[in-house]
Amino acid sequence: MIHMSAAIGYHYPQTRIGIMRIAAISKPDDTKALEEKKRQLEGSLRQQYADRELRRGLPAVGHYIRYYKQFGKQYHVLMQLDSLVDKGRNIPTREPLVEAMFMAELKNQLLTAGHDAKRLNGVLSVELSGGEEAYQLLSGKQQQLKAGDILMRDESAVIGSILYGPDHRTRITATTRDCLFVVYAPYDIGETAIQEHFADIAAYVELFSPGAQVKEQKICG
């Protein structure tokens, strides 16, 4: 279950939060198909987004730029897309589940977090930070949130925020077999865009885990 605070709609009108749970994920024995898809995607993105200004004019990107700018920050997915296109850098090799998520992020520019679903506790809540909350980042660093940032928590603690990403406790690891993907979509990013993004993640996961199953998909907001 997931609950979304009314305060988010007041501060960030038409914000949507999407969740998709994929279960029955097998340990990847062969990631060759995923690697081939990565190379294809890199080439496609470099061709499609060769114009730097075009990237910044993408509808979803504009919403994220607006969100991050109020905190004096830049949208890191756009920065990663810039690095791939302008500097010729490849998509890094990580846990395949993380790679699948990152590939879809670059393709669709939608901010996504991944969590090991078995490490989550109870109902999920999406709230507006008051600035006093803190949690352990993927890096292990303890981070205090900025007031006004959108966060998600389970019944134990904060599991992520837009500005700082997913937490350490529920992180994806090599043993993750049940994964929850969360899309944070501020300022009226359409449901269709989120659904297509989830379809891309599921398709990438299927490349290394053919038996994986989408168990739940929901868009709130």
Side-chain angles (χ1 to χ4, degrees):
M1 294 181 63
I2 182 170
H3 173 265
M4 188 166 169
S5 168
I8 292 176
Y10 177 78
H11 287 274
Y12 303 109
Q14 297 179 289
T15 288
R16 293 183 174 90
I17 304 295
I19 60 169
M20 178 178 67
R21 178 175 156 243
I22 298 182
I25 300 164
S26 58
K27 180 180 179 180
D29 295 321
D30 184 359
T31 59
K32 184 182 297 184
L34 183 66
E35 289 296 320
E36 290 176 356
K37 181 62 70 173
K38 280 166 60 177
R39 301 288 88 83
Q40 293 172 9
L41 179 62
E42 289 162 354
S44 175
L45 292 174
R46 288 177 183 132
Q47 183 175 18
Q48 186 176 1
Y49 298 125
D51 185 333
R52 189 178 179 88
E53 292 307 310
L54 173 65
R55 286 172 243 156
R56 277 144 185 77
L58 295 168
V61 168
H63 291 312
Y64 288 110
I65 289 175
R66 177 184 173 190
Y67 184 95
Y68 277 74
K69 187 176 181 180
Q70 66 183 315
F71 299 101
K73 294 182 177 292
Q74 294 180 302
Y75 184 36
H76 67 275
V77 174
L78 176 60
M79 295 169 67
Q80 290 158 340
L81 183 59
D82 286 344
S83 179
L84 185 146
V85 176
D86 296 335
K87 299 179 181 179
R89 293 180 179 169
N90 291 333
I91 297 170
T93 299
R94 311 175 187 178
E95 289 297 333
L97 280 171
V98 176
E99 287 187 23
M101 178 179 68
F102 185 53
M103 288 164 65
E105 277 189 309
L106 289 176
K107 180 182 177 184
N108 305 310
Q109 301 88 48
L110 300 188
L111 181 67
T112 313
H115 303 274
D116 188 318
K118 296 299 185 184
R119 301 185 185 198
L120 296 170
N121 179 28
V123 176
L124 300 177
S125 299
V126 185
E127 305 170 4
L128 204 63
S129 171
E132 69 280 356
E133 303 90 348
Y135 69 106
Q136 190 179 21
L137 305 181
L138 287 176
S139 65
K141 173 188 173 183
Q142 193 73 9
Q143 178 66 55
Q144 185 168 348
L145 274 66
K146 290 184 178 293
D149 190 14
I150 294 175
L151 65 85
M152 178 176 283
R153 66 168 77 242
D154 65 7
E155 293 180 13
S156 296
V158 174
I159 65 167
S161 72
I162 287 187
L163 293 183
Y164 298 110
D167 71 325
H168 187 269
R169 172 175 61 91
T170 69
R171 70 193 184 281
I172 294 172
T173 70
T175 62
T176 299
R177 299 291 176 262
D178 191 341
C179 190
L180 185 76
F181 296 99
V182 180
V183 170
Y184 295 89
Y187 302 122
D188 196 24
I189 292 173
E191 288 191 17
T192 299
I194 298 172
Q195 290 165 349
E196 291 175 349
H197 179 68
F198 279 149
D200 284 332
I201 294 176
Y204 295 150
V205 170
E206 189 176 8
L207 291 174
F208 60 85
S209 180
Q213 301 172 7
V214 175
K215 290 292 188 179
E216 183 180 4
Q217 187 170 313
K218 183 176 182 180
I219 299 173
C220 303

